[in-house]
């Protein structure tokens, strides 16, 4: 599809109120968005099936949220070998949490072990959306008992001074708590997270509909114990 025809279609699907709502959530003045809803963007992405289609798509200007979303949605359908070759290109298209969290490469379902090294590298990168992508990928594809220790270590390696990384860690840990409550509770007792990230993670757990009232009370008690230990450690140094 020629770029002009695609832009005409996107403009015809644009919803100004939806755009304004999304921009308020994203909170980034540099994001350019028309306001096309996600189901429509995914439907358009399905048209780009051949190599020639993808070459054409990659030739389009990519300064618009919707074009980036469509490109990432197409790459997310690729086999692992092709996705992996396009990994850095894909990540460099991501400049906000909405794009980041929607990018979910299906091939990773069968390649967790292979891709784990890339996740470790990304979490150590110091690049905000590289790290958030890695954390969200752990949440989507690595939520098994086998990877729990890895998840806990990587949460503490992440650069949580960056907001989107901090919220990514908190979201990931709240999902761990909902799936493996006892293991996560034990982790919270001895965690080396910074206090802001720790508090946000506990808060996300307490907001979860998947945890019981009793579990939420227990986690608040764990937080109090953790804070007391941390203050005692500081006073003794």
């Amino acid at each position: 599809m020629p770029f002009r025809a695609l832009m005409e279609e996107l403009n015809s699907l644009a919803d100004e109120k939806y755009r304004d709502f999304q921009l308020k959530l994203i909170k980034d003045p540099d994001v350019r968005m028309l306001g096309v809803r996600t189901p429509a963007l995914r439907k358009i992405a399905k048209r780009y099936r051949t190599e020639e289609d993808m070459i054409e798509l990659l030739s389009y200007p990519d300064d618009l949220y919707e074009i980036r979303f469509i490109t990432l949605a197409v790459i997310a359908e690729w086999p692992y070998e092709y996705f992996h070759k396009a990994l850095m290109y894909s990540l460099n298209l991501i400049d906000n949490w909405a794009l980041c969290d929607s990018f979910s490469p299906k091939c990773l379902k069968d390649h967790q072990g292979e891709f784990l090294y890339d996740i470790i590298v990304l979490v150590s990168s110091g690049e905000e959306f590289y790290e958030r992508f890695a954390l969200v990928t752990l949440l989507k594809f690595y939520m098994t008992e086998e990877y729990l220790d890895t998840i806990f270590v990587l949460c503490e390696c992440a650069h949580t001074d960056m907001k989107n990384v901090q919220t990514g860690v908190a979201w990931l840990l709240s999902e761990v708590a909902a799936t493996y409550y006892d293991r996560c509770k034990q982790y919270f007792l001895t965690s080396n997270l910074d206090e802001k990230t720790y508090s946000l993670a506990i808060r996300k757990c307490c907001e979860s509909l998947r945890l019981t009232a009793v579990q939420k009370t227990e986690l608040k008690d764990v937080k109090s114990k953790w804070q007391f230990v941390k203050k005692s450690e500081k006073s003794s140094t």
Side-chain angles (χ1 to χ4, degrees), residues 63-191:
D63 58 340
L64 192 66
Y65 174 92
E66 283 79 4
I67 299 295
R68 294 188 177 204
F69 185 101
I70 291 168
T71 303
L72 291 168
V74 172
I75 293 173
E77 298 291 330
W78 286 359
Y80 181 77
E81 179 184 355
Y82 296 103
F83 153 73
H84 196 256
K85 287 179 180 178
L87 175 62
M88 298 314 296
Y89 174 82
S90 303
L91 295 182
N92 287 328
L93 289 176
I94 296 172
D95 61 356
N96 61 79
W97 67 262
L99 277 178
C100 185
D101 296 359
S102 67
F103 184 42
S104 185
K106 292 183 178 178
C107 60
L108 294 183
K109 176 178 62 177
D110 300 314
H111 293 272
Q112 293 101 327
E114 253 179 290
F115 195 63
L116 187 58
Y117 175 76
D118 296 275
I119 287 181
I120 293 169
V121 170
L122 292 173
V123 168
S124 305
S125 69
E127 294 289 335
E128 188 165 16
F129 290 107
Y130 290 12
E131 294 196 27
R132 186 177 176 95
F133 169 75
L135 294 165
V136 173
T137 298
L138 287 170
L139 186 155
K140 293 176 180 176
F141 296 103
Y142 292 80
M143 194 59 65
T144 65
E145 195 163 2
E146 175 186 0
Y147 291 108
L148 286 183
D149 288 337
T150 300
I151 287 173
F152 294 144
V153 169
L154 290 177
C155 282
E156 297 190 359
C157 291
H159 295 81
T160 52
D161 55 316
M162 295 182 286
K163 181 181 178 182
N164 286 289
V165 177
Q166 183 184 76
T167 55
V169 167
W171 181 23
L172 175 56
L173 288 173
S174 71
E175 288 296 309
V176 175
T179 310
Y180 297 100
Y181 174 75
D182 290 335
R183 286 289 305 277
C184 198
K185 175 184 169 183
Q186 187 61 37
Y187 166 73
F188 278 130
L189 281 167
T190 58
S191 171

